[in-house]
Every structure is written in C-alpha cells, then in structure tokens.
Amino acid sequence: MRLLPRRRPKDVLLPGIWPSELLFYDTAQSFVFERDDGWDVSTRHPGHRFVAWELAVRYETACRLAELHYTQICDGPTDDEYAVRVAEIERLLGEADRLSQLERSIRPALPDDATAIRILASSPRPQPTMPEASRLESLARDHLPDYTPMHAKLAQLEASSPPFNPQVHNFLIEVDRQIPGVGIHTAVWDGNDKYDYPFDYEFEAVLRPLRYVPVYLSLAWGDPIHVRSVVQMATAHLEGCVKKALDKSDAKRPLGALLGTPAAKNLMPSDALAGAGEFMRLVGNPSKHDYTNDRSRGSVFIYEDAVFAYLLARRFGAQALGLSGHLEGLVAAAEDATRHDRYFRGAQLPIHSR
C-alpha cells in the first residue's frame, strides 16, 4: 500500500449542494445485501458477489456516485461542469472495476466451502442500523383484513425478490383492492411504466397524496429513505379524508388534534378513532419530527411501515368517508376524471415495475 501513489482529491466547484462521499458510503450500506455466498450490490452488478463487506460497500458507493454525476449531465451542465463530471464518472467506474477485479482475483484462493464463505462474509459483520420491527405491526393486525396471509406474503417477497418487480406491485394492488374507495389500483398506466392519477377539485385533498404513493412504494422497496415519504403521503391522505368527512369543520387543525374533536368522536366508531390516533402517535407525527431510530443511525422506519401506513390510512379514511356519505362520491369522481382525462399532470412519476 505504501508504494501506491496517494491521490489528493481535487476540489471542484460545482453548482448546488451535493452529498459528501462519506454520506454516499453510509447510504450504500443499505444497498448491500447478504447472501449465502457473499454480499450482493444493487446499482451496477459486476456479475459476482463480494466476500468482503467493505469491498461491496465501496463498490456500491463508487457506482452510486457515478450515477449521480451522470444524472447531472442529463440536466444540461456547462462545458466545464460536463468535463469535470465525465472525468469523475470515469474515475469512479474505474475504481469499481478495480474492486471487482480484486474480488475475482482473490476468490480462487479462498475456501469453496459454503460454510467457510458464510463465516468470512459475516466477519467482521457490520452493525445493523435498521429498526428491528415495524412500528405498525400490532395496529395492522387489529385493523387490516386478512392481515396474517398478507404479512406472510410480504415477508416472502422481501426475502425472495430484492428488486421491485411486477409480482410485488401486483401484490400491493391486490391487498389495496380489499379496502373500499380509491388507491394504488386507481392509477392510470400508459403502458411504459408511468402513470397519471385522477384529479377532482372537490376531492383534491384526498386524491393528491395518493398520486405519489405508487412510485414512493416502489422506491422505498430498495431504499429506506423513501419510506418516510410514503408515511407522510398516507398521513396526508387520511387527513384529507377526515376533513372531508367532517365537512371541513376545524379545517386548520392538524389531524392529531382533529381526531380529538367532538365531531370526529361522533362520526367514527371508537375502535377506528383510537386506531387513527395510535397511527398518528406511531408514525404520523414521527414522520415529521423523528430522525433517529433506537440505534441512533439509519432509517426510522422499515418497508413494512410504508405498506402498513398506506393501508391503515386507506382503511381509516374509507371508514370516515363511508360514515359521512362521501365514499361513493369519491369513487364516482375518480371514475369521471378518468373518463374525461382529468389527471394530476406535471412530471409523470416513473415506477420500476408494473
């Protein structure tokens, strides 16, 4: 190592504020998955797995940084910025290839016994930083229909198919259809992994948050950083439903306070009202204010939190709209918007699977 030249990083002034390489290194740890024969990477697969966790994380870091620079080239940079980013992409991909070659070169010298490889791959084992369990599992068990088979299927999909694929997306739609009203299944697909979402002025506060849920659920499957976005959109949807159900009485109150009003207590059954209040305590408010988990690092939520938060918000929201007589109107409004091509437009949000 002493014979290798030390490269002093060149400070290049680029527009905007960019995450540091150290932050990319920390993030890359969430994209490296343990398998029986080593560590898998996500962004640019080299065709093999790494026995050394550190090599896998450094490989993933280089690829994710290169991906960032490439996306900025797509955004119309100046000539100087273009040259700098191209040079960085070449350097980073070269570093990734060097790490891959190192793994392929050393692998024949290692034992080919699966048990020995497993021991090498997990020692030293990186300290986990994700929460151990979903915050909403107990609440989901009490309030979601067919919770047990749904939870088992979700666990099976997470274990068997790390990439977000059609099977995962179809499973989420199937579960969502069991709840009355509009949801993921209401999105209108264009056949190219993009979708629009029906728009209606009267129900805008109910529908608009749902527009973002399909893509956020897709992104959160591979990156826990997007789970918070799903929880926030689910909370916004529930708030829109409750305010619509109460005819906008106390409309300026946040959802947590609104659930404690006499109007809400008179509208919703006590178990649903208590469930919605518990939902806000467990994830609704934390999605706005909490940024550390019980281990101080890593995501506050896991993927099950995203799925359960969305489905529980749909469940409680549909109950509120149904009891107030607005649920049929919501469904009719979404269908009418689809017939007349009224959608939330802007930049269509891509999803990785259909």
Side-chain angles (χ1 to χ4, degrees):
M1 292 296 290
R2 296 194 193 95
L3 298 178
L4 296 176
R6 292 192 176 186
R7 183 184 65 83
R8 182 180 296 277
K10 182 179 179 182
D11 290 330
V12 179
L13 294 178
L14 293 174
I17 300 174
W18 305 106
S20 66
E21 189 161 345
L22 178 59
L23 181 59
F24 268 83
Y25 176 86
D26 289 339
T27 304
Q29 298 177 33
S30 298
F31 287 83
V32 173
F33 303 96
E34 187 176 10
R35 305 288 182 247
D36 287 341
D37 57 344
W39 294 93
D40 230 345
V41 294
S42 303
T43 303
R44 176 180 178 254
H45 206 283
H48 61 78
R49 290 169 180 154
F50 293 85
V51 173
W53 176 82
E54 184 68 31
L55 289 183
V57 173
R58 288 176 183 267
Y59 180 95
E60 182 69 20
T61 301
C63 292
R64 292 183 66 77
L65 274 166
E67 183 182 50
L68 169 69
H69 287 296
Y70 185 84
T71 61
Q72 296 309 307
I73 288 177
C74 296
D75 199 29
T78 63
D79 289 344
D80 290 344
E81 184 184 349
Y82 170 81
V84 169
R85 292 197 184 278
V86 168
E88 278 297 285
I89 290 173
E90 291 175 343
R91 179 186 72 81
L92 290 162
L93 293 183
E95 172 66 7
D97 289 340
R98 186 183 72 85
L99 294 168
S100 173
Q101 179 60 40
L102 179 61
E103 174 68 27
R104 285 184 279 117
S105 297
I106 199 67
R107 194 67 178 251
L110 300 177
D112 58 3
D113 177 72
T115 302
I117 291 295
R118 194 176 301 115
I119 292 173
L120 287 171
S122 60
S123 179
R125 189 182 185 89
Q127 293 298 315
T129 59
M130 295 290 291
E132 291 185 353
S134 168
R135 297 183 176 205
L136 291 173
E137 185 172 350
S138 177
L139 197 63
R141 184 182 295 108
D142 292 338
H143 291 275
L144 293 180
D146 297 326
Y147 165 80
T148 300
M150 179 198 72
H151 184 254
K153 179 65 174 179
L154 180 60
Q156 177 191 4
L157 289 171
E158 286 192 283
S160 62
S161 55
F164 191 85
N165 60 32
Q167 187 179 8
V168 179
H169 185 57
N170 293 337
F171 162 73
L172 293 173
I173 289 179
E174 179 184 344
V175 174
D176 198 20
R177 287 187 187 277
Q178 299 179 33
I179 302 173
V182 298
I184 302 174
H185 53 283
T186 310
V188 179
W189 295 85
D190 68 358
N192 295 312
D193 291 340
K194 292 185 179 180
Y195 64 91
D196 290 318
Y197 207 86
F199 166 81
D200 181 81
Y201 182 81
E202 180 185 355
F203 291 97
E204 181 177 11
V206 174
L207 292 170
R208 184 179 290 271
L210 296 179
R211 179 203 181 210
Y212 302 97
V213 169
V215 72
Y216 283 152
L217 277 172
S218 168
L219 295 173
W221 181 262
D223 187 352
I225 197 172
H226 296 287
V227 172
R228 182 184 297 270
S229 298
V230 181
V231 177
Q232 290 174 338
M233 290 303 104
T235 304
H237 168 69
L238 178 57
E239 183 169 352
C241 291
V242 172
K243 288 184 175 181
K244 180 64 178 176
L246 299 180
D247 293 322
K248 297 185 178 179
S249 62
D250 298 318
K252 293 184 178 181
R253 290 196 182 195
L255 178 56
L258 196 61
L259 292 172
T261 61
K265 294 177 181 178
N266 291 333
L267 174 69
M268 298 179 67
S270 57
D271 62 332
L273 193 65
E278 186 71 353
F279 171 91
M280 288 301 297
R281 185 185 72 81
L282 292 172
V283 296
N285 292 326
S287 72
K288 301 176 184 178
H289 307 296
D290 291 359
Y291 290 91
T292 57
N293 62 23
D294 52 358
R295 296 169 179 173
S296 298
R297 296 184 59 205
S299 177
V300 175
F301 308 104
I302 60 176
Y303 190 74
E304 282 84 351
D305 289 318
V307 175
F308 294 154
Y310 168 68
L311 295 175
L312 285 167
R314 284 266 291 108
R315 178 76 169 175
F316 296 139
Q319 285 180 306
L321 291 175
L323 291 169
S324 64
H326 289 295
L327 187 61
E328 292 184 1
L330 169 64
V331 175
E335 293 174 348
D336 185 69
T338 302
R339 281 194 301 269
H340 294 89
D341 200 33
R342 294 194 308 270
Y343 299 113
F344 291 105
R345 296 286 189 184
Q348 287 184 314
L349 300 179
I351 197 168
H352 300 309
S353 174
R354 187 178 188 279

